[in-house]
């Protein structure tokens, strides 16, 4: 860590610039005032909130038990079955509403895991630099070079595929990606004099990372977390679609789409509605991410 | 009197058709549902060929004025209803986009503060300058190239043909700003706007750019609007000066008269708060303006300056004064403008210097710091040795890149020196901060240049100080710690209420007080001050310097005070070291270093500093070129390529010896003290004579 600190501390010889003294950065207050006024954020948050409520209380919303089998299979949408029935005669609407809960458990849990690991790794590599940083970043590059799906296929086919496995898999693969973002935010902060002052006062390294630097990079971390959530939803749906993740008879959207594709010609509603649901969820999360990142940058 | 009553102040005998006439300009910014007024009822005129200076501190609306003239205001800006800007008789505010495009860059040109970011880094200088001629004069490419080269020669660029082929990053800051000026003047504009054109530059480079602007003004007969926070710079360039405070013009008049006899308390305060020649900390504190600038858009009902004004009466707080004529061509927005002379300067309270044998606190021996950067080895600090005595202020001056900050960082333990030794209180210091004992850490502390980044924006002032006390002062715990924090805050004149605030809610001056308090948390013996006032507004600088003097006297600490500002160092320091390209080139007591014979580099620094003290010559001595951008230092004397007193062969080949003068200062030069003193006195007289006659 010695050499790295020196290299960055050296060119800080400042030229005087009284022009921008006294101006204070918007940093925190702007986020609080900008978000409620951002239509991007509000629309995204509304859709997301709908799906979260649905995932939590789908039992109150569904017209039928999602596993109940009706005698009429592959029935087109009608007054009785608003979105039709599937090949086994189950109500598509009920399965759609109940299917949100798996994706909204797996994706946030995986994201949280990736964020915790990534923030810790990013803080350590960005603050200490040196050998740790070099090694960790080469590993990140290696992970980035592998398509995620290939890693997933390898891991899930050998380890088996439960909800827990999917969470750990996505969480672990996200860790280096998050670490990279956090690291670059840390690099910008660690050269500011408040970090030098803390070091000169004898503050310990973990305390500088957690108490001094971390509060100042919350913005980029939150944005990264939201973006990761979108990817996690997408990835878990992909794995379900490849029948590598959540297994039957779960009403999970990715799985439903996968099973429904052979009936695409005769019963397109079996695929269309879960696909639309998935799309609205991913778009909603991305809108929230956009709104947040605009507010953080403002 | 009548002119003021009309609301539109008119100069007594307005010139026929001014190039630029601004009348009642008001600009506000929309912030959510609120409108923040940044410029209010501003009126001024610039006749063809004359220069108007707009002076003010940060946030007073200077740049907004410039942007209004270019019609480059951001989308959330609202120009007030009664505002008028006429450019060469035509209405600029109602001009269409097409007309504006024809005017901008062609008839109205602008030079920005940071030339490094105003030039396109991916284009050759040639292409950028030639583009002006191609788009505005419709020249062919080869004609434009020829014209560009001619223009570069006109802005005194040494080798225009070579510079044409370079990219902006290959030029020094001064050269970049010359290129910007060349581009601005390329189309022979009617109006040239210079927005803080020298603010980011070193004093020696600033002096060159100002020389150039002065010379070009005569040559091109362009009307100039010169915007700056620096009174001395404006005084040098401009005929008329307007002082802005909180978006309002508070005084206007001919530069020379106004700075000699200001007619507004704010102008007077600004003039007095700059350390002047002959004033040192021993002769008394600097005049300072209490308080700070009103927050943007606060728009108090009375005079915006009333809260800080020493002669404010109750009426000042309730009623906005009119701009009234106070003499030929002069206006002032003060109801007590005829009583300005009665404002007493700060009393001079001569203090006796600390008696007794000096005790060496810090001894730096042969300190060298090298870096590897891109295959090159850069020597940032080269074989520097000096001592700092207990209770003294050691000033360290030099241009950017001279190694002064690197030296400070070695002393404080942020970086390891490559070679050399540090002894503190006669004990060798192991250099890394992590290996330093707590006892040593609390004895050597540092105050940084930029208070905005030196304080964690997420912590309250109270939290910041409590942490510092907890880490640096091991003697207090629990409730006593809070008392200690309160004491510390009081010692830097912070109010108890400030402890609850976050740094973002404080002004620059208050933030720097917090940073100073933090450095003093554990009874330090040595505080390194790295340009502690250069990021602050002029009006709060003096108060911070006074505070540093008071703390030093009360606690008997030593400072290593790093600054590019010679007048500040002269005021504060007991002894001074001058650094050039990593080397110490002169060292001695302040009086000795600031009087001939001095090192030619010291001479150049002194000459370059813009000063309101007109009597002393300052023009002739200019170092040539720029110090940075050379990977390896020059052979022989490092200063020889720029030295105005270069002797010849010996300077290029032999490293100069230390010369000891009668006054006791030492400098590194081949010219002997007696000879150098004669040369330097002679050139000072040559310059002084025509100045005083003018």
């Amino acid at each position: 860590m010695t050499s790295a600190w020196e290299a960055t501390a050296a060119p800080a010889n400042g030229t005087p610039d009284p022009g921008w003294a006294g101006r204070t950065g918007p940093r925190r207050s702007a986020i609080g005032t900008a978000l409620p006024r951002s239509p991007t954020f509000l629309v995204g948050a509304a859709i997301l909130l709908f799906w979260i409520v649905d995932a939590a209380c789908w039992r109150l919303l569904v017209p039928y038990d999602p596993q109940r089998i009706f005698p009429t299979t592959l029935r087109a949408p009608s007054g009785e079955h608003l979105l039709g029935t599937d090949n086994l005669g189950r109500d598509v609407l009920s399965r759609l509403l109940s299917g949100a809960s798996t994706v909204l458990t797996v994706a946030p849990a995986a994201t949280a895991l990736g964020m915790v690991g990534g923030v810790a790794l990013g803080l350590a590599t960005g603050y200490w630099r040196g050998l740790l940083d070099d090694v960790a970043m080469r590993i990140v590059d290696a992970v980035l070079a592998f398509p995620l799906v290939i890693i997933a296929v390898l891991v899930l086919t050998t380890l088996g595929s439960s909800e827990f496995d999917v969470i750990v898999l996505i969480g672990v693969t996200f860790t280096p990606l998050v670490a990279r973002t956090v690291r670059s935010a840390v690099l910008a902060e660690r050269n500011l004099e408040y970090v030098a002052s803390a070091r000169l006062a004898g503050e310990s390294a973990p305390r500088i990372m957690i108490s001094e630097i971390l509060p100042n990079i919350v913005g980029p971390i939150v944005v990264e977390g939201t973006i990761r959530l979108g990817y996690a939803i997408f990835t878990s749906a992909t794995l379900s679609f490849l029948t590598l993740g959540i297994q039957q008879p779960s009403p999970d959207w990715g799985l439903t789409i996968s099973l429904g594709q052979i009936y695409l010609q005769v019963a397109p509603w079996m695929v269309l509605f879960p696909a639309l649901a998935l799309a609205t969820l991913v778009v909603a999360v991305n809108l929230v991410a956009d709104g947040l990142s605009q507010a953080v940058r403002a | 009197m009548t002119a003021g009553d009309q609301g539109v102040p008119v100069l007594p005998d307005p010139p026929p058709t001014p190039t630029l006439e601004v009348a009642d300009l008001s600009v506000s910014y929309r912030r959510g549902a609120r409108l923040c007024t940044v410029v209010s009822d501003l009126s001024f005129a610039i006749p063809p060929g004359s220069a108007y200076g707009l002076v003010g501190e940060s946030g007073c609306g200077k740049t907004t004025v410039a942007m209004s003239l270019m019609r480059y205001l951001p989308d959330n800006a609202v120009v007030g209803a009664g505002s008028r800007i006429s450019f060469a008789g035509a209405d600029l505010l109602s001009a269409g986009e097409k007309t504006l495009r024809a005017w901008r860059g062609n008839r109205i040109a602008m030079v920005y503060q940071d030339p490094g970011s105003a030039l396109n880094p991916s284009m050759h200088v040639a292409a950028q300058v030639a583009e002006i001629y191609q788009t505005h004069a419709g020249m062919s490419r080869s004609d434009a190239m020829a014209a560009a080269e001619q223009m570069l020669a006109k802005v005194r660029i040494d080798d225009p043909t070579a510079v044409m082929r370079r990219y902006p990053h290959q030029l020094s800051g001064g050269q970049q700003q010359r290129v910007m000026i060349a581009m601005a003047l390329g189309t022979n504009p009617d109006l040239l706007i210079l927005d803080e054109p020298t603010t980011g530059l070193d004093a020696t480079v600033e002096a060159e750019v100002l020389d150039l602007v002065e010379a070009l003004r005569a040559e091109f007969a362009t009307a100039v609007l010169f915007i700056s926070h620096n009174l001395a710079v404006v005084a040098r360039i401009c005929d008329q000066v307007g002082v802005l405070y909180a978006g309002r013009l508070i005084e206007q008049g001919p530069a020379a008269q106004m700075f000699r006899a200001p007619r507004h308390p704010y102008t007077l305060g600004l003039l007095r708060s700059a350390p002047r020649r002959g004033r040192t900390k021993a002769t008394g504190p600097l005049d300072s303006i209490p308080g700070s600038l009103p927050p943007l858009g606060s728009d108090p009902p009375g005079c915006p300056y009333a809260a800080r004004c020493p002669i404010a009466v109750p009426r000042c707080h309730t009623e906005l004064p009119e701009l009234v004529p106070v003499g030929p061509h002069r206006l002032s927005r003060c109801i007590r403008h005829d009583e300005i002379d009665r404002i007493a300067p700060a009393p001079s309270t001569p203090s006796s210097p600390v008696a007794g044998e000096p005790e060496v606190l810090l001894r730096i021996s042969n300190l060298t710091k090298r870096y590897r950067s891109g295959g090159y080895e850069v020597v940032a600090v080269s074989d520097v040795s000096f001592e700092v005595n207990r209770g003294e202020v050691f000033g360290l001056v030099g241009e950017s890149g001279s190694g002064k900050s690197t030296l400070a960082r070695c002393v404080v333990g942020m970086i390891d020196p490559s070679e050399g030794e540090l002894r503190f209180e006669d004990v060798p210091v192991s250099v890394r901060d992590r290996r330093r004992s707590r006892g040593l850490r609390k004895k050597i502390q540092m105050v940084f240049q930029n208070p905005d980044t030196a304080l964690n924006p997420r912590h309250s002032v109270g939290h910041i100080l409590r942490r510092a006390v907890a880490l640096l002062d091991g003697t207090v715990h629990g409730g006593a710690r809070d008392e200690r924090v309160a004491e510390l805050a009081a010692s830097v004149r912070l109010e108890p209420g400030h402890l609850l605030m976050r740094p973002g809610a404080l002004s620059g001056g208050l933030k720097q007080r917090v940073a100073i308090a933090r450095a003093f948390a554990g009874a330090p013996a040595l505080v390194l001050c790295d340009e502690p006032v250069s990021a602050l507004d002029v009006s709060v600088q003096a108060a911070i310097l006074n505070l540093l003097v008071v703390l030093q006297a009360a606690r008997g600490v030593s400072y290593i005070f790093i600054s590019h500002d010679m007048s500040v160092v002269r005021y504060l320091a007991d002894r001074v070291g001058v650094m050039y390209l990593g080397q110490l080139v002169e060292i001695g007591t302040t009086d000795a270093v600031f009087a001939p014979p001095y090192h030619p580099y010291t001479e150049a620094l002194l000459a370059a500093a813009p000063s309101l003290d007109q009597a002393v010559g300052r023009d002739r001595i200019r170092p040539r070129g720029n110090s940075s951008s050379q990977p390896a230092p020059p052979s022989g004397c490092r200063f020889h390529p720029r030295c105005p007193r270069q002797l010849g062969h010996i300077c290029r080949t032999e490293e100069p010896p230390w010369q000891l003068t009668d006054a006791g200062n030492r400098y590194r030069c081949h010219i002997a003290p007696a000879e150098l003193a004669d040369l330097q006195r002679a050139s000072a007289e040559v310059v002084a004579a025509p100045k005083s006659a003018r």
Side-chain angles (χ1 to χ4, degrees):
Chain A
M1 65 172 283
T2 310
S3 60
W5 174 267
E6 287 177 15
T8 47
N13 187 1
T15 41
D17 179 11
W20 51 276
R23 260 174 238 172
T24 52
R27 285 210 115 134
R28 187 184 205 131
S29 57
I31 298 172
T33 54
L35 269 190
R37 270 201 294 278
S38 153
T40 317
F41 176 80
L42 290 179
V43 170
I47 302 173
L48 185 59
L49 190 68
F50 168 78
W51 285 120
I52 291 171
V53 171
D54 168 60
C57 7
W58 59 268
R59 281 179 188 81
L60 306 174
L61 301 172
V62 290
Y64 308 104
D65 180 347
Q67 307 297 4
R68 182 176 158 192
I69 293 173
F70 289 90
T72 44
T73 58
L74 298 175
R75 176 113 182 248
S78 65
E80 200 181 340
H81 299 286
L82 284 176
L83 302 182
T85 60
D86 67 5
N87 57 324
L88 298 178
R90 294 174 297 191
D91 182 51
V92 171
L93 177 61
S94 301
R95 291 184 68 75
L96 181 85
L97 292 176
S98 62
S101 71
T102 52
V103 73
L104 280 174
T105 318
V106 171
T111 308
L113 184 65
M115 292 305 293
V116 170
V119 168
L121 188 61
L123 277 172
T125 52
Y127 181 72
W128 274 315
R129 309 286 310 272
L131 190 64
L132 169 76
D133 186 37
D134 290 339
V135 172
M137 284 306 120
R138 292 300 80 74
I139 295 173
V140 170
D141 290 340
V143 172
L144 284 175
F146 267 101
L148 185 55
V149 175
I150 294 181
I151 301 177
V153 171
L154 283 174
V155 173
L156 294 178
T157 47
T158 45
L159 290 185
S161 44
S162 67
E163 250 178 59
F164 180 76
D165 291 323
V166 173
I167 290 172
V168 172
L169 177 81
I170 297 177
V172 169
T173 47
F174 277 7
T175 298
L177 300 168
V178 175
R180 171 167 282 208
T181 307
V182 173
R183 174 179 170 271
S184 65
V186 173
L187 288 183
E189 291 292 320
R190 76 192 281 277
N191 287 334
L192 298 181
E193 285 94 353
Y194 74 82
V195 177
S197 302
R199 287 166 58 98
L200 289 182
E203 202 80 84
S204 70
R207 191 161 173 143
I208 292 178
M209 285 184 236
I210 291 163
S211 161
E212 301 287 332
I213 297 179
L214 188 60
N216 286 298
I217 56 171
V218 166
I221 289 177
V222 169
V223 172
E224 176 70 13
T226 328
I227 294 171
R228 284 292 133 218
L229 181 63
Y231 278 108
I233 293 169
F234 199 77
T235 310
S236 78
T238 308
L239 293 177
S240 305
F241 179 81
L242 297 173
T243 64
L244 288 168
I246 292 130
Q247 300 296 322
Q248 291 215 57
S250 166
D252 180 74
W253 295 338
L255 187 63
T256 311
I257 296 168
S258 166
L259 298 175
Q261 59 181 331
I262 47 171
Y263 302 100
L264 198 58
Q265 304 279 323
V266 283
W269 53 88
M270 269 181 71
V271 172
L272 179 68
F273 293 111
L276 274 179
L278 192 62
T280 56
L281 181 58
V282 173
V283 167
V285 171
N286 286 341
L287 288 177
V288 169
D290 279 356
L292 280 173
S293 68
Q294 274 162 15
V296 167
R297 264 186 278 116
Chain B
M1 276 295 130
T2 46
D5 297 336
Q6 291 164 10
V8 185
V10 182
L11 291 172
D13 50 331
T17 34
T19 305
L20 179 77
E21 197 171 5
V22 174
D24 300 322
L25 178 69
S26 299
V27 183
S28 320
Y29 289 111
R30 226 179 287 116
R31 276 200 180 165
R34 234 154 54 87
L35 269 184
C36 287
T37 306
V38 181
V39 176
S40 322
D41 302 323
L42 176 66
S43 303
F44 65 92
I46 312 178
S50 88
Y52 186 91
L54 211 48
V55 194
E57 296 175 279
S58 62
C60 73
K62 309 182 293 278
T63 299
T64 300
V65 172
M67 290 301 163
S68 322
L69 301 182
M70 291 295 276
R71 289 274 306 274
Y72 268 154
L73 284 170
D75 291 340
N76 64 337
V78 182
V79 177
S83 309
R84 278 184 296 118
I85 301 178
S86 58
F87 169 66
D91 186 6
L92 190 112
L93 285 175
S94 64
E97 198 52 43
K98 210 176 150 195
T99 324
L100 284 176
R101 221 175 311 133
W103 284 355
R104 284 179 194 146
N106 191 12
R107 299 186 61 195
I108 309 177
M110 184 154 172
V111 174
Y112 299 87
Q113 177 172 341
D114 181 7
S117 59
L119 288 166
N120 184 340
S122 66
M123 275 167 82
H124 284 293
V125 168
Q128 294 189 54
V129 182
E131 193 182 30
I132 301 287
Y133 293 99
Q134 285 173 288
T135 46
H136 291 298
M139 286 187 195
S140 73
R141 194 173 154 74
S142 56
D143 286 351
M145 284 290 180
E149 197 170 327
Q150 260 176 20
M151 196 63 220
L152 290 184
K154 273 194 193 152
V155 295
R156 324 277 191 275
I157 282 181
D158 277 342
D159 187 356
T161 325
V163 167
M164 292 275 279
R165 281 198 297 269
R166 291 197 194 135
Y167 286 100
H169 73 269
Q170 294 169 309
L171 306 178
S172 67
Q175 280 177 317
Q176 286 176 345
Q177 199 58 294
R178 278 160 205 261
V179 171
M180 286 303 298
I181 292 171
M183 287 167 67
L185 290 176
T187 53
N188 208 350
D190 302 310
L191 174 66
L192 175 64
I193 303 171
L194 297 149
D195 185 6
E196 302 260 14
T198 59
T199 300
L201 305 175
D202 270 316
T204 50
V205 182
E206 174 180 64
E208 289 173 53
V209 172
L210 293 179
D211 287 350
L212 176 68
V213 172
E214 235 178 352
L216 292 178
R217 260 198 64 198
E219 211 172 309
F220 283 80
T222 298
V224 173
L225 175 64
F226 194 99
I227 295 173
S228 179
H229 69 283
N230 189 328
L231 296 175
V233 165
V234 169
R236 223 189 113 180
I237 296 291
C238 299
D239 314 309
Q240 285 270 321
V241 177
V243 181
L244 274 182
Y245 186 78
R248 288 186 192 275
L249 195 64
I250 53 115
E251 184 169 6
Q252 179 174 278
Q257 274 183 40
M258 200 163 104
F259 292 137
R260 207 166 43 238
R263 283 268 157 262
H264 192 284
Y266 175 62
T267 319
L268 181 79
L270 280 184
L271 287 167
R272 282 196 183 157
S273 59
R276 302 290 279 268
R277 232 151 255 201
R279 201 109 216 236
T280 70
K281 64 180 175 185
T283 64
L286 293 168
D287 284 87
S288 65
I289 304 178
S292 55
L293 297 155
L296 215 60
S298 62
D299 218 7
C303 170
Y305 188 62
R308 305 173 76 186
C309 182
I311 54 166
V313 293
R315 213 180 115 202
C316 296
H317 292 279
T318 52
E319 196 183 308
L320 178 70
E322 297 283 342
L323 258 184
V324 290
V326 291
H329 304 274
R330 296 192 65 180
L331 297 165
S332 167
R333 197 186 281 280
C334 181
I335 54 171
R336 305 185 68 184
H337 59 81
D338 48 355
E339 295 165 72
I340 305 294
D341 306 332
R342 285 188 225 158
I343 303 175
S348 83
T349 46
S351 60
S352 51
V354 190
E357 199 58 18
E359 178 201 343
V360 174
L361 179 71
L362 173 78
R363 173 167 287 144
I364 299 171
S365 317
N366 309 100
L367 190 120
T368 298
K369 176 68 199 171
R370 299 189 196 88
Y371 291 110
R372 294 220 139 268
S373 110
Y376 289 107
E377 190 179 69
V378 179
V379 184
V381 177
S382 164
D383 196 23
V384 168
S385 308
F386 63 88
E387 282 114 48
V388 179
N389 295 326
R390 194 178 283 281
E392 84 171 353
V393 178
F394 186 86
L396 206 52
V397 294
E399 291 166 287
S400 60
S402 62
K404 33 188 211 316
S405 284
T406 308
L407 181 66
R409 278 157 204 261
C410 286
V411 170
V412 87
M414 276 166 67
I415 50 179
D416 272 331
S418 313
E419 277 162 41
E421 194 194 28
L422 289 176
R423 287 178 83 85
F424 184 78
E425 294 180 326
D426 221 23
V427 179
V429 174
S430 84
V431 275
R432 274 309 279 178
D433 62 338
R434 320 209 81 228
R435 275 181 257 130
R436 284 187 178 187
S437 67
R438 188 154 92 167
L440 186 59
R441 259 198 332 254
K442 70 184 193 191
K443 280 189 173 163
I444 307 183
Q445 278 294 313
M446 183 151 179
V447 176
F448 294 91
Q449 172 178 358
N450 190 343
D452 293 323
T453 54
L455 303 176
N456 193 330
R458 297 293 167 130
H459 293 324
S460 71
V461 171
H463 176 94
I464 291 169
L465 294 183
R466 217 166 310 146
R467 266 325 280 175
V469 169
L471 289 162
L472 295 173
D473 187 348
T475 61
V476 287
H477 300 282
R481 199 171 275 172
D482 289 335
E483 269 172 46
R484 187 78 187 82
V485 168
E487 246 174 69
L488 202 56
S491 71
V492 295
R493 322 263 186 285
L494 286 171
E495 312 272 329
H498 290 142
L499 292 177
L500 304 173
M501 295 182 181
R502 290 195 183 189
L506 303 177
S507 67
L510 287 173
K511 275 187 256 194
Q512 199 58 297
R513 284 170 196 271
V514 177
I516 292 169
R518 179 174 57 189
F520 276 88
L526 175 66
V527 176
L528 289 108
C529 304
D530 189 357
E531 303 262 13
V533 295
S534 63
L536 302 178
D537 276 313
V538 193
S539 72
V540 292
Q541 273 185 13
I544 296 291
L545 291 174
N546 286 342
L547 173 68
L548 286 170
V549 171
V550 169
L551 284 172
Q552 191 225 359
R555 309 201 176 204
V557 298
S558 306
Y559 294 143
I560 293 182
F561 190 92
I562 297 174
S563 182
H564 70 286
D565 187 337
M566 300 296 270
S567 59
V568 167
V569 170
R570 171 180 277 202
Y571 174 79
L572 206 64
D574 301 301
R575 290 198 306 135
V576 178
V578 182
M579 284 186 76
Y580 182 74
L581 287 182
Q583 242 179 8
L584 201 62
V585 294
E586 179 162 10
I587 184 168
T589 61
T590 308
D591 292 339
V593 168
F594 283 76
Y598 23 55
H599 192 281
Y601 178 60
T602 315
E603 185 184 8
L605 285 180
L606 282 168
S611 165
L612 287 162
D613 301 304
Q614 298 282 333
V616 184
R618 43 153 220 252
D619 277 342
R620 288 295 171 267
I621 299 306
R622 291 278 184 267
R624 296 187 286 256
N626 186 273
S627 70
S628 57
S629 76
Q630 293 138 333
S635 62
C637 171
R638 294 189 175 196
F639 190 54
H640 85 257
R642 302 174 68 198
C643 184
R645 305 206 179 276
Q646 202 199 125
L647 292 175
H649 186 67
I650 186 168
C651 293
R652 286 192 292 275
T653 52
E654 267 175 60
E655 196 147 318
W658 282 104
Q659 307 264 13
L660 182 68
T661 71
D662 298 337
N665 58 320
R666 292 179 299 138
Y667 63 88
R668 235 182 246 242
C669 187
H670 287 294
I671 309 174
E675 202 185 326
L676 192 57
D678 286 346
L679 283 170
Q680 285 166 340
R681 287 209 186 85
S683 70
E685 274 157 27
V686 166
V687 182
K691 276 271 165 201
S692 51
R694 185 150 67 161

